[in-house]
Amino acid sequence: MGFDPAIYNEELEKGIVPNRDFEVFLYKNIITEEQNKIVYREVEKIKDNFITQDFVGHRAWTFHNEELAKYLTAWMSNVMGERMVLSELSFARYSNEYGYQPKLFPHFDTHSKDGQRITLDIQLNATTPWAVVVEGESFNLENNDGLVFSGTQQIHWREKKTLSDKDKVDMLFVHFAYADHRPWSKDQKLILEYWSHRFREKIGIERQPVPVETK
């Protein structure tokens, strides 16, 4: 099935994606202050090993800490009521200092090899409120709060906002796969690409990088 996402497509408009109706949860103080510090210590060890993602205006560091991984995996498995497998753990900082405007456009996670995934976004530190939006519903996080949703099955983004040169938003992104591996549905990618485009049109946040002048 080919399509132009700029053109209305009834089949994709009504297409069904498994787990797109996943109930999103916001949890308070999912990690302790000490666990928060563990993340920063781990990132400091690999501070030069980052990826700058210009299209969202952040730098990301992938790392592993056994203690934190065990805690988060047990926590998520308990919340989901079934065994979950940690597939990715990364730290990201949104900041103008990296030369591009921090933003997050409507999208879905494209890691199809893991099948359906559950995402845990934890806010570590932020100088300004910046809501995460999942399928049109906004969630405001405070430090150490976590948001649980299905990153591969649900379209998500950040509210449209301009961060100042002094602002920073630090996040811990934790992705889990189901232990019994749940594959993507046949037309899932096309349906979610279609709806991502629709949301981007409505919200006015595009995928292209936006350079900023740093002082």
Side-chain angles (χ1 to χ4, degrees):
M1 185 195 306
F3 79 103
D4 180 344
I7 299 175
Y8 176 85
N9 183 305
E10 184 174 4
E11 187 175 355
L12 295 175
E13 192 88 14
K14 296 179 178 179
I16 296 175
V17 173
N19 227 19
R20 193 175 174 189
D21 59 353
F22 180 85
E23 185 176 357
V24 182
F25 292 98
L26 176 61
Y27 288 88
K28 306 297 292 182
N29 295 311
I30 185 176
I31 60 172
T32 65
E33 284 299 326
E34 179 53 35
Q35 289 170 323
N36 185 303
K37 292 175 183 176
I38 287 174
V39 176
Y40 286 98
R41 287 198 294 266
E42 291 293 339
V43 173
E44 180 63 24
K45 295 176 186 177
I46 55 169
K47 62 183 179 180
D48 295 325
N49 188 21
F50 58 81
I51 297 174
T52 301
Q53 297 182 309
D54 54 9
F55 54 92
V56 291
H58 75 39
R59 280 186 179 172
W61 291 258
T62 299
F63 70 95
H64 181 77
N65 176 276
E66 190 65 23
E67 176 186 344
L68 197 58
K70 285 183 177 179
Y71 166 76
L72 292 170
T73 301
W75 185 92
M76 183 60 78
S77 296
N78 181 62
V79 165
M80 295 295 294
E82 60 184 294
R83 191 165 71 87
M84 304 298 291
V85 179
L86 179 65
S87 60
E88 186 179 340
L89 186 65
S90 64
F91 168 87
R93 170 170 288 174
Y94 293 87
S95 172
N96 285 338
E97 67 181 304
Y98 304 134
Y100 297 91
Q101 183 185 104
K103 61 184 175 67
L104 189 62
F105 52 85
H107 72 289
F108 62 100
D109 298 342
T110 56
H111 302 274
S112 58
K113 68 179 179 62
D114 288 335
Q116 299 180 31
R117 299 204 308 188
I118 298 298
T119 297
L120 171 60
D121 280 4
I122 301 174
Q123 180 173 296
L124 298 171
N125 187 49
T127 59
T128 184
W130 194 19
V132 178
V133 186
V134 182
E135 294 288 348
E137 185 176 359
S138 296
F139 299 88
N140 286 291
L141 283 68
E142 296 180 345
N143 294 347
N144 297 330
D145 289 352
L147 186 68
V148 179
F149 60 99
S150 184
T152 55
Q153 312 303 112
Q154 295 177 303
I155 298 167
H156 52 286
W157 64 93
R158 290 271 188 170
E159 285 188 346
K160 191 173 184 179
K161 178 172 182 171
T162 300
L163 272 61
S164 76
D165 288 346
K166 295 181 179 179
D167 285 327
K168 290 182 175 63
V169 177
D170 291 351
M171 298 293 299
L172 179 63
F173 298 138
V174 196
H175 301 284
F176 297 90
Y178 290 91
D180 60 1
H181 187 80
R182 300 180 189 179
W184 285 21
S185 58
K186 179 176 177 290
D187 293 324
Q188 172 174 327
K189 186 173 185 291
L190 291 176
I191 294 168
L192 292 181
E193 282 179 348
Y194 175 83
W195 277 105
S196 294
H197 179 86
R198 287 296 187 208
F199 277 123
R200 288 197 293 271
E201 280 188 326
K202 180 180 179 181
I203 306 302
I205 307 175
E206 284 301 325
R207 299 174 62 176
Q208 291 81 6
V210 180
V212 294
E213 292 184 7
T214 55
K215 298 178 181 179

